[in-house]
Amino acid sequence: MIGHIEHGSNFGGLFRYLLATDKGARIIGGNAAGDTIEQLTQEFNNCADQRRTTTKPVKHFILSFAPEDGEVEDDLKQEIATQAIQRLGYIDNQYVVIEHQREDPGHDWNHDHDHIHIAVNMISLEGQRVDDWQDKRRFEAIIRELEQEHQLTQVAPSRERKQKALTHGQVQKYKRQLRDVKTGKQTQPPDIPISIKLQAAIDAVTRDKPTMTLFIGRLQHLGIDVKPIITATGRKRISYHIDGAKPFRGSKLHNGSFPKLISQRGVNCDPQRDRKAMEYAVNHQQVTLPPEQLINWSEINLSLYLPKALDTESLGKEKQKKTEKALINHSRINTINQSSEKLEKEKALMSSLPLTPEFSPDVIEKQQEYTLTIAPIAYRWLKANQTVRYEAKDNLIEYSQGRLTIKDGEGNYKMIAQSVGVEQHNFQQWQCINLPQNSPGLTQKDVERFTGSEMKDALRELEQKNNQFIKRRKGRGR
């Protein structure tokens, strides 16, 4: 599940939105006496008036279930809503649980998942204000607990995601442009959001834990104006600027702030050594680097950073390949001019990506073979355990936005696979993605472990239990 919290001062405005006739709204739970916009507004306002010093007594929680959960029963939605707000401390408070249908005229696309809204009065029936300190963080932790307790699809916590999520507006805009490409209304590919370009660039240039000078020079070569600043008091901050858009603070990107570049990404910053490069960056001067240390946009697959639904929605396989190529061309900045070199890099990017250059061809081929053998089993294992992250003694398996990885006990990559769609029998298809340098890769022992009888028996048992649970739940629904 994905949770979102809003707060405000106007119960009338909230209930007019939640109970709008075009949303197919249904009240499925709560403790309020009224059931119309006017009745609920009056009822909640009367209670809030007990504590007029609280100017924003409105709490609005949104819970979206994963598409994999299918159609969730009303009883379960109501139970989860009640448990969530009570664990947040809203025990003696008015609340209403409202379901909206998936078809939503207010949006360009219908929802592909069930979702509910919970309107809560922050002022209790006794006139006390509930402490909502760190509600967002606590709400997310509670959601993870409820997913496990009710055997729902587990979603990766926001702190474990590799990038900041796109806003609803960005997703809607991208979908509109995808639709227009399909229908021929526009020939240009959709505009990649600036946040995705910056995120992908930062990931690419920090892969080998560079110095701050190298970090700055690489980003400048990609057309990104970066400003790293250390104040007189020692405070560190950084911003990124691209394509004439507003500058992005580092904190708005995953591990993009100055402190996290150092602590999480391993960027080596020596104030004395890197002082000149930092001054150049602040004054919009170019840091010169040897060509072999630079990274070009043609080496960065931007489509891997798009949410899975946006990456392939409404486009056939052939159109998708052309679009991915166009996305890179459209967003390329300051890349090398030799057309032959660009063509070769684009061909390499659009095909199954090789592993690190230090591997010999026969080792690369073997790693690709191991990946295509293990990836379907690892993905099936995660689904059977209803999680996106599974940690064992020797391996950590993770899945996020179409990318499946396996790491060893020390956090080194053994496998990176990218989903490339579903074939006719509904099986996920995978391609091998290049590993960072010095990665151990997969071994024959890994293949034997994943394809052995012990794994097969464990998978069969888990999947049988899951199927039995689904049948029982459907039986209760009848």
Side-chain angles (χ1 to χ4, degrees):
M1 293 181 289
I2 296 176
H4 179 67
I5 305 177
E6 298 175 349
H7 62 277
S9 58
N10 189 341
F11 282 112
L14 176 61
F15 286 123
R16 280 192 294 275
Y17 167 74
L18 294 182
L19 295 175
T21 55
D22 62 349
K23 295 186 177 297
R26 293 188 302 119
I27 297 177
I28 61 172
N31 58 8
D35 57 7
T36 67
I37 296 172
E38 294 76 16
Q39 290 170 350
L40 289 169
T41 300
Q42 186 63 48
E43 188 176 341
F44 276 61
N45 279 336
N46 288 343
C47 186
D49 284 344
Q50 296 178 92
R51 192 180 180 89
R52 300 203 174 189
T53 53
T54 298
T55 57
K56 292 186 176 181
V58 179
K59 275 285 183 177
H60 175 202
F61 297 88
I62 305 168
L63 264 177
S64 298
F65 295 85
E68 295 81 0
D69 291 327
E71 294 185 6
V72 183
E73 298 172 13
D74 286 353
D75 288 347
L76 182 56
K77 291 176 182 174
Q78 196 276 338
E79 183 179 353
I80 287 174
T82 301
Q83 290 177 348
I85 64 170
Q86 286 185 349
R87 292 181 194 184
L88 282 170
Y90 300 97
I91 298 172
D92 192 26
N93 297 68
Q94 296 167 316
Y95 76 101
V96 179
V97 185
I98 298 172
E99 184 212 42
H100 282 177
Q101 64 186 5
R102 296 190 179 195
E103 184 178 342
D104 191 342
H107 296 99
D108 292 293
W109 270 261
N110 295 332
H111 297 286
D112 62 352
H113 58 271
D114 283 0
H115 69 285
I116 57 174
H117 299 260
I118 316 165
V120 178
N121 197 331
M122 285 188 65
I123 308 305
S124 72
L125 297 174
E126 301 297 324
Q128 301 300 311
R129 182 186 183 279
V130 175
D131 183 5
D132 62 346
W133 185 71
Q134 290 198 338
D135 255 11
K136 183 178 179 180
R137 181 175 297 182
R138 291 164 53 216
F139 189 41
E140 184 167 26
I142 289 167
I143 289 173
R144 303 286 82 79
E145 295 171 359
L146 292 171
E147 284 172 345
Q148 291 185 339
E149 292 172 17
H150 296 281
Q151 298 184 324
L152 295 168
T153 303
Q154 291 185 320
V155 178
S158 59
R159 66 180 180 277
E160 294 178 10
R161 295 174 197 149
K162 303 304 181 185
Q163 66 192 77
K164 300 281 188 180
L166 293 177
T167 66
H168 177 74
Q170 288 173 322
V171 171
Q172 291 293 309
K173 178 181 177 181
Y174 197 92
K175 283 187 172 185
R176 280 195 298 272
Q177 292 177 337
L178 270 182
R179 178 187 60 195
D180 290 345
V181 169
K182 180 187 176 184
T183 57
K185 289 184 179 179
Q186 70 176 59
T187 57
Q188 291 297 319
D191 297 325
I192 297 290
I194 298 298
S195 60
I196 281 184
K197 291 183 183 178
L198 292 174
Q199 189 73 64
I202 293 171
D203 285 353
V205 304
T206 59
R207 208 166 283 155
D208 56 353
K209 297 180 169 57
T211 64
M212 180 58 72
T213 296
L214 189 54
F215 173 75
I216 292 169
R218 284 175 169 175
L219 287 180
Q220 288 180 334
H221 179 71
L222 292 171
I224 297 172
D225 187 13
V226 53
K227 286 187 179 180
I229 296 174
I230 302 178
T231 67
T233 59
R235 183 184 175 191
K236 299 179 178 68
R237 63 176 186 266
I238 193 167
S239 64
Y240 309 90
H241 189 197
I242 186 175
D243 282 358
K246 289 177 61 177
F248 266 74
R249 295 199 307 272
S251 59
K252 294 295 183 181
L253 300 166
H254 178 71
N255 289 339
S257 68
F258 204 136
K260 288 195 173 182
L261 286 173
I262 297 170
S263 64
Q264 303 299 318
R265 294 186 179 270
V267 175
N268 188 320
C269 182
D270 183 325
Q272 293 302 317
R273 180 196 62 209
D274 300 314
R275 180 178 57 83
K276 186 174 181 180
M278 292 172 65
E279 288 178 351
Y280 273 22
V282 170
N283 293 311
H284 308 286
Q285 294 176 272
Q286 194 74 23
V287 174
T288 304
L289 296 175
E292 64 270 14
Q293 293 185 337
L294 297 173
I295 291 175
N296 298 293
W297 281 108
S298 56
E299 301 171 58
I300 304 172
N301 192 345
L302 291 167
S303 66
L304 296 181
Y305 287 79
L306 289 169
K308 186 178 177 183
L310 299 187
D311 190 24
T312 58
E313 184 170 344
S314 303
L315 296 176
K317 290 183 179 179
E318 287 302 314
K319 282 192 176 182
Q320 180 62 15
K321 287 180 181 178
K322 293 177 182 178
T323 301
E324 286 181 349
K325 184 174 178 179
L327 287 173
I328 294 168
N329 286 334
H330 182 64
S331 60
R332 180 179 286 116
I333 302 170
N334 292 342
T335 54
I336 43 184
N337 294 320
Q338 289 81 3
S339 59
S340 59
E341 185 172 353
K342 286 198 293 185
L343 183 59
E344 289 305 312
K345 287 188 175 181
E346 286 168 0
K347 285 180 179 178
L349 185 62
M350 290 302 106
S351 62
S352 293
L353 297 177
L355 298 171
T356 59
E358 61 194 10
F359 291 148
S360 61
D362 59 326
V363 173
I364 291 175
E365 184 178 352
K366 185 62 70 175
Q367 286 294 312
Q368 291 175 336
E369 177 188 331
Y370 288 166
T371 297
L372 295 180
T373 300
I374 288 177
I377 302 171
Y379 181 69
R380 185 179 160 196
W381 180 255
L382 289 179
K383 288 189 69 176
N385 283 277
Q386 299 183 2
T387 185
V388 293
R389 187 177 190 274
Y390 187 92
E391 189 167 3
K393 181 180 178 182
D394 301 318
N395 292 313
L396 171 63
I397 309 172
E398 293 181 290
Y399 178 79
S400 176
Q401 295 185 345
R403 178 167 287 192
L404 181 69
T405 62
I406 299 178
K407 298 178 185 176
D408 63 18
E410 297 180 356
N412 301 308
Y413 282 101
K414 299 174 72 174
M415 184 197 84
I416 304 176
Q418 179 66 34
S419 169
V420 290
V422 179
E423 54 100 63
Q424 59 180 349
H425 297 296
N426 227 21
F427 291 114
Q428 203 81 11
Q429 298 294 293
W430 304 95
Q431 73 175 10
C432 184
I433 298 296
N434 56 308
L435 296 172
Q437 289 190 2
N438 302 319
S439 298
L442 295 167
T443 65
Q444 181 61 37
K445 187 177 180 181
D446 292 315
V447 175
E448 292 170 358
R449 181 183 292 119
F450 276 88
T451 59
S453 58
E454 188 175 341
M455 172 64 88
K456 288 180 180 178
D457 292 342
L459 263 174
R460 190 181 302 112
E461 183 179 350
L462 280 170
E463 288 172 342
Q464 286 176 351
K465 287 182 179 179
N466 290 340
N467 288 335
Q468 289 170 1
F469 173 78
I470 291 171
K471 287 179 181 178
R472 287 198 302 271
R473 198 162 75 173
K474 284 184 177 178
R476 289 198 300 269
R478 290 195 296 269

